[in-house]
């Protein structure tokens, strides 16, 4: 590819965990375009051409991740530092009520829309089945409605920390040093005229009776 990418990922609990709706709201508040904090701090400041924020609620502990795309000539270090700063500064700059309500409205609208389309509802229920139970679709929706601002703040402080961060970068180069992997050989051609080497001499058919074992035992007495 020709675009540079920087992404930061944070481990979070399973999608069925009571913390997860707060994590979902937090991710939306940071990653939404154009109202999210990352877009305003990075794209609108000319540090990158695009940003994102997403989460993966799964049966087992999952992750939320944020990132930025920038042109080949952009300064990746500036985008990286600003990305980390914005995401991890929620502890010092708490989310405000309007940010939370905007995110809540967007996510609840998604729940309403999906229930108007039978195929979409089946797909969505299948996702919640994968998390653990189809009824989580409705429980999760109700939890989203009840999340308070201090719960979102606690989730930010608990999970958006340097010790929980994984950072990845993609830096394009003119001539990638790829390993050339040869194609799979034609085994039929290789084995067509193959003949095995010397046959291994078969061992004896050993009689495992106590009498035979006793006859084969070598007994010695140490000098001490």
């Amino acid at each position: 590819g020709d675009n540079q990418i920087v992404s930061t990922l944070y481990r979070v609990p399973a999608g069925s965990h009571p913390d997860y709706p707060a994590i979902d709201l937090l991710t939306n508040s940071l990653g939404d375009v154009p109202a999210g904090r990352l877009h305003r701090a990075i794209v609108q400041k000319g540090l990158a051409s695009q940003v994102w924020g997403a989460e993966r609620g799964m049966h087992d502990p999952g992750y939320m991740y944020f990132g930025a795309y920038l042109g080949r000539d952009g300064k990746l270090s500036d985008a990286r530092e600003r990305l980390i700063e914005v995401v991890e500064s929620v502890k010092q700059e708490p989310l405000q009520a309007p940010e939370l309500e905007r995110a809540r409205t967007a996510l609840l609208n998604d729940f309403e829309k999906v229930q108007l389309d039978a195929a979409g509802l089946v797909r969505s229920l299948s996702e919640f089945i994968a998390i653990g139970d189809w009824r989580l679709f409705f429980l999760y929706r109700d939890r989203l409605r009840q999340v308070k601002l201090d719960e979102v703040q606690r989730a930010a402080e608990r999970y958006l920390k340097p010790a929980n961060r994984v950072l990845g970068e993609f830096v394009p180069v003119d001539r990638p040093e790829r390993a050339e992997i040869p194609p799979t050989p034609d085994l039929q051609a290789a084995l067509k005229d193959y003949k095995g080497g010397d046959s291994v001499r078969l061992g004896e058919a050993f009689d495992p009776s106590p009498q035979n074992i006793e006859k084969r035992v070598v007994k010695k007495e140490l000098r001490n």
Side-chain angles (χ1 to χ4, degrees), residues 194-200:
Y194 173 75
K195 294 181 180 179
D198 296 336
S199 298
V200 178

Side-chain angles (χ1 to χ4, degrees), residues 63-78:
Y63 52 91
M64 56 177 162
Y65 61 114
F66 308 90
Y69 291 102
L70 55 156
R72 189 162 184 153
D73 298 328
K75 196 169 182 181
L76 189 64
S77 59
D78 288 350

Side-chain angles (χ1 to χ4, degrees), residues 49-163:
S49 58
Q50 182 181 347
V51 294
W52 77 85
E55 44 70 38
R56 289 292 178 267
M58 300 187 290
H59 180 276
D60 299 311
Y63 52 91
M64 56 177 162
Y65 61 114
F66 308 90
Y69 291 102
L70 55 156
R72 189 162 184 153
D73 298 328
K75 196 169 182 181
L76 189 64
S77 59
D78 288 350
R80 177 183 64 240
E81 291 172 11
R82 191 66 178 130
L83 174 70
I84 295 173
E85 180 184 0
V86 172
V87 171
E88 297 181 9
S89 68
V90 180
K91 183 175 183 178
Q92 293 77 30
E93 300 176 26
L95 288 181
Q96 302 300 307
E99 292 179 289
L100 172 61
E101 294 310 318
R102 178 191 52 77
R104 193 197 313 271
T105 298
L107 294 176
L108 288 176
N109 281 345
D110 288 341
F111 274 86
E112 293 299 324
K113 290 177 183 176
V114 77
Q115 293 180 80
L116 299 176
D117 173 52
L121 178 59
V122 169
R123 287 193 296 269
S124 187
L125 289 175
S126 297
E127 291 295 327
F128 281 91
I129 289 172
I131 294 174
D133 193 295
W134 64 270
R135 292 171 294 181
L136 283 171
F137 176 93
F138 302 100
L139 176 62
Y140 192 89
R141 177 199 59 190
D142 294 344
R143 284 175 170 175
L144 276 174
R145 291 171 175 163
Q146 299 165 5
V147 173
K148 296 179 173 57
L149 192 59
D150 61 336
E151 294 174 307
V152 178
Q153 187 63 31
R154 281 199 300 272
E157 295 180 13
R158 182 175 299 167
Y159 304 113
L160 296 180
K161 56 177 63 176

Side-chain angles (χ1 to χ4, degrees), residues 151-192:
E151 294 174 307
V152 178
Q153 187 63 31
R154 281 199 300 272
E157 295 180 13
R158 182 175 299 167
Y159 304 113
L160 296 180
K161 56 177 63 176
N164 193 37
R165 181 207 311 146
V166 178
L167 182 71
E169 296 179 353
F170 174 72
V171 182
V173 295
D174 292 328
R175 295 183 178 181
E177 295 185 8
R178 296 188 176 93
E180 294 296 333
I181 308 299
T184 302
D186 181 356
L187 283 179
Q188 296 303 317
L191 297 172
K192 183 178 63 173

